[in-house]
Amino acid sequence: MKDVLRQYGTLMSFFALLALFSILRGSVFFTLRNLINITQQISILMMVAIGATYILAIAEFDLSLSSLVSFVGVVAAGMMASGVHPLLATVTALGFSMLFGFLNGTLVATLRLPSFVTTLATGTLLGGITFWYSGGTIIFSGIPRSFTVLGQESLKGIPLSSIFMFVLLFLSSYLLLRTTLGQAIYAVGGNEIAAWYSGIRVSRVKIIAFFLAAFHSGLAGIVLTSKLGSAHPTGGGGYLMPSYAAAFLGTTLFREGEANIWGTFVGALIMGVLANGLTILNVPYFLQDIFTGMILVGALILRASRERS
């Protein structure tokens, strides 16, 4: 029984949550419409979590991901408010995010600075720039209707943001599992020195991982702004811890002890189902944080148990 819990504990938790909310409010919770709604609710979180997965796969941290979500959204919205075409504003804002990811990767990989402190510093710096650019206010005017299509419209009943999330999921899964770069990322995360001796250019792989993480956070900022039709200078602040929580939960699935895309997806689903179910039950919001924390502690125990075994 202990072996089963170690191996499938996270998946069992997911299905247990589905069963619990289906029993309590099945007529509202366990419907196709609500399940699709959950995928839409986790779509932005999942984009940030994909970036966190790349970072955890190389055994580093990036605490600037949420700052990037806010920054990209504010820059894109600000440019559109100034009359810039939405496509050009989107490409420019994403370009800034990729440049920022390259900067983080260079600081960590080339100068060998600790990623935790370095990205905390660069994230704080970026937060200040975001406040300066926006004047500390929400940008909601001047955003054209065409820009909000991705965040607000659906295709045959499925939100475009959900479809976009699945496209990114499959692309990242292919990159990590089927390409030489993906193997190099896992090799660096597993043993950096061994990877270097085997001919892998460790610094380049790390820079690419930070670059990809920043790019996905930038995409999350675009989708968030498109969904809201506005941009807030702290709009991405709530995505940092949940994204790492989802990625960490994912390390208990599929590739034992390693960050992986589909494990992260299940982790995000657990958090999405929990938030959705508790909302339907009218449970106070603070209890969602308590339950999320309990799930993470359980995941820590599960992972520690696996490592000991």
Side-chain angles (χ1 to χ4, degrees):
M1 186 62 184
K2 286 183 178 179
D3 290 339
V4 173
L5 284 174
R6 288 194 194 104
Q7 193 70 29
Y8 303 107
T10 305
L11 272 179
M12 290 168 67
S13 300
F14 172 62
F15 287 113
L17 282 174
L18 282 179
L20 176 65
F21 291 125
S22 298
I23 292 170
L24 294 176
R25 289 295 298 274
S27 60
V28 179
F29 176 80
F30 201 71
T31 62
L32 180 60
R33 182 175 181 180
N34 189 50
L35 295 178
I36 292 174
N37 186 40
I38 291 173
T39 66
Q40 184 183 28
Q41 290 173 349
I42 68 169
S43 59
I44 297 171
L45 165 64
M46 190 60 218
M47 291 172 204
V48 185
I50 289 174
T53 304
Y54 282 115
I55 298 299
L56 288 183
I58 59 168
E60 299 285 1
F61 275 100
D62 188 343
L63 300 184
S64 66
L65 298 181
S66 58
S67 298
L68 263 174
V69 175
S70 305
F71 174 76
V72 169
V74 163
V75 168
M79 292 181 70
M80 285 184 282
S82 301
V84 178
H85 190 278
L87 181 59
L88 179 59
T90 299
V91 171
T92 303
L94 286 176
F96 280 128
S97 75
M98 290 185 281
L99 186 63
F100 187 78
F102 179 79
L103 171 66
N104 272 340
T106 302
L107 290 173
V108 172
T110 305
L111 301 182
R112 298 187 177 281
L113 300 179
S115 60
F116 192 92
V117 179
T118 301
T119 55
L120 177 63
T122 56
T124 303
L125 172 68
L126 195 63
I129 294 174
T130 305
F131 259 86
W132 166 75
Y133 183 80
S134 65
T137 59
I138 301 173
I139 301 174
F140 55 85
S141 62
I143 298 177
R145 174 66 185 156
S146 60
F147 182 77
T148 62
V149 169
L150 179 60
Q152 299 180 8
E153 297 298 329
S154 302
L155 178 64
K156 295 187 180 299
I158 302 176
L160 291 179
S161 58
S162 298
I163 296 173
F164 189 48
M165 174 191 70
F166 281 112
V167 170
L168 295 176
L169 271 170
F170 279 104
L171 287 176
S172 287
S173 175
Y174 179 83
L175 188 152
L176 282 174
L177 298 177
R178 303 292 182 188
T179 67
T180 304
L181 174 61
Q183 294 173 2
I185 286 174
Y186 279 121
V188 170
N191 189 320
E192 187 175 322
I193 296 175
W196 185 82
Y197 275 113
S198 64
I200 294 173
R201 301 179 71 173
V202 174
S203 295
R204 176 181 289 186
V205 170
K206 284 192 173 185
I207 291 172
I208 292 174
F210 275 94
F211 175 88
L212 289 171
F215 176 65
H216 282 84
S217 294
L219 290 175
I222 293 296
V223 176
L224 177 64
T225 304
S226 173
K227 178 182 177 182
L228 300 176
S230 63
H232 193 286
T234 60
Y239 290 104
L240 181 62
M241 288 301 111
S243 65
Y244 274 102
F248 184 79
L249 280 171
T251 63
T252 63
L253 289 167
F254 307 128
R255 292 178 68 98
E256 190 172 328
E258 291 183 331
N260 64 90
I261 293 299
W262 293 107
T264 300
F265 178 59
V266 173
L269 271 179
I270 289 175
M271 301 182 72
V273 165
L274 184 65
N276 181 273
L278 293 177
T279 301
I280 288 174
L281 294 176
N282 291 322
V283 173
Y285 182 77
F286 67 89
L287 282 177
Q288 295 183 20
D289 290 339
I290 292 175
F291 285 124
T292 302
M294 291 171 62
I295 288 175
L296 278 174
V297 171
L300 278 169
I301 294 172
L302 182 63
R303 181 169 171 172
S305 174
R306 280 184 174 184
E307 289 174 352
R308 282 197 298 270
S309 65

